[in-house]
Every structure is written in C-alpha cells, then in structure tokens.
Amino acid sequence: MSADAVFAALADPTRRGLVESLASAPATATDLAKGLPMTRQAVSKHLAMLAAAELVSTERRGRETRYTLRPEPLREVSRWVDAVGDEWADRLSRLERSIRD
Amino acid sequence: MSADAVFAALADPTRRGLVESLASAPATATDLAKGLPMTRQAVSKHLAMLAAAELVSTERRGRETRYTLRPEPLREVSRWVDAVGDEWADRLSRLERSIRD
DNA sequence: CAGAGATGCAACCAAAGAGTTGCGTATATC
DNA sequence: GATATACGCAACTCTTTGGTTGCATCTCTG
C-alpha cells in the first residue's frame, strides 16, 4: 500500500532482479540465492522487504517458503508516474499556447 | 540513466512531493522549502538527489537556481514496471491454458 | 530415529540517508 | 559601499540498509 515501501523496494538492483525472476515463476529464497553472489539470508532479507511492500506474497509449503509476485503495487507505481507525467505534459501545452497567442 | 537512482529518488515522500510541485511549475530550493517542515539545506539535498537521478535539471539565473522537471527517467521507470507486469500476465495466461487443456 | 535440507531469528558491522548548524560567497538593491 | 538575499559546502548526528556469521527449529527421507 505504501508508495514509500514500493519505490524503496525497487530501488535496489538485487531486488529488481528478484522481481524479474519471480515474474516468470514463483520460487524459494534458496532457489533465488543460487547464482547470486550473496548468502541466502541476504536474499531472504530482500524478499522480506519486497513482502513488506506487498510486491510478493509468501506461501509456506512443508519445509519451504514459496514467494509469488503480486503485481498490484506495480500498477500503483505506474499510476503515480503517469499522473505526474501527464501534469507535466499539460503544463507544457499550456505554456506553448500562451507563447503562440 | 540509473534505475537505482531514479527509484531511490522517488522512494522518499518529500522528494515525490517536490516532483509533484515541479510538475506544475519550475521553482527554486527556497521557494520549495517554504511550507515544508525542514530547512532549505535539507530541500537542497533532496533536489541534488533528484538531479543525480536526472529527474530535474538546474538553471542558474543570477543569484537563484531554478529547478525544472525532466520527465524522461519517469518514462523509463514506467517501461520497466510495464515490462514486468506484462511478463507476469503472460505467465498467468500460459498457466491458465495449461490448466484448461 | 537420525541426518540432511530449508527456514527464521539475532547480533554485529560498514556505509548511506535524512536532517541539522555554521560559515563562506556571490548577486541584487538601497 | 553596505546590507540583505540566495546559494553551496562541510561537519556532525541518528537511523536505516545491505551484508555477514552463528544458531535454533521444523520437516522430509533413508
């Protein structure tokens, strides 16, 4: 829900990489840590931040925890960005009109 | 250019507020600091981070520095978010097809 | 049941972030 | 020329972050 948490979560390249991985398929922290130059705990912390931003959901399955992407916060980010971009475009068109007239 | 810098810049509510202000009109650090519960220097630091992320450009005009929004990085953010969202949607549709078939 | 696999929790560390104050400098203005 | 305005830089706090190691717990399997 919090834009702060979502943007902050996406500010780290490791976490964006995790999000990209999870976009193609859910996975566990141990899975994701393979191929990354850091420990499982570090990855786990990153996933906790993604979860705090509600960008992923967790599902415990026996002894493993499966992380799944939740794209709703991404849509909110997209909305905010588009709104600011639109306001800027409007401002520019008003400015151009006032110059032309 | 750096996605890290852009997302990190937008992670702070004060900076998102500054971006929203600048979307309607360029302004100086002193202008923007009025109405905010912090010093001009703090605002100045925030603007420096927005500038590092190339979200604003600066123009010195006599004794004042005017900050103007540069929306290009916002478009890149939008592209990344949309790409991830699209991949996720594709994955879901493939999944649904494999279940139905 | 014993051992291996996967996780979670806590302590610790170095670096970056967000804010402050103080000061120096350049530009307008009277 | 003196004064006020707008700015930039540096030093100093306090908290957060990104990473580590170590250990305890829970679950699966031979």
Side-chain angles (χ1 to χ4, degrees), chain A residues 5-85:
Chain A
V6 177
F7 277 112
L10 297 178
D12 185 272
T14 299
R15 283 193 294 265
R16 282 199 308 282
L18 292 175
V19 167
E20 289 173 2
S21 296
L22 292 175
S24 64
T28 68
T30 308
D31 289 343
L32 293 164
K34 306 195 171 175
L36 286 183
M38 68 185 67
T39 61
R40 170 189 62 88
Q41 285 86 342
V43 172
S44 193
K45 276 204 199 174
H46 283 303
L47 288 168
M49 278 190 226
L50 292 174
E54 301 182 41
L55 277 162
V56 300
S57 61
T58 67
E59 184 194 1
R60 188 92 200 213
R61 197 112 157 198
R63 67 181 159 183
E64 62 185 22
T65 301
R66 178 157 243 79
Y67 291 84
T68 306
L69 190 64
R70 279 198 50 220
E72 290 81 6
L74 290 177
R75 276 184 230 122
E76 293 187 26
V77 161
S78 192
R79 264 201 298 276
W80 185 87
V81 166
D82 290 348
V84 171

Side-chain angles (χ1 to χ4, degrees), chain B residues 1 6 19-20 29 43-45 51 56 67 70 85 101:
Chain B
M1 270 302 228
V6 177
V19 167
E20 290 174 2
V43 172
S44 194
K45 277 202 199 176
V56 300
Y67 291 84
R70 279 198 52 221
D101 295 350

Side-chain angles (χ1 to χ4, degrees), chain B residues 28 30 40-41 63-65:
Chain B
T28 68
T30 309
R40 170 189 62 87
Q41 285 86 342
R63 68 179 159 184
E64 62 184 23
T65 301

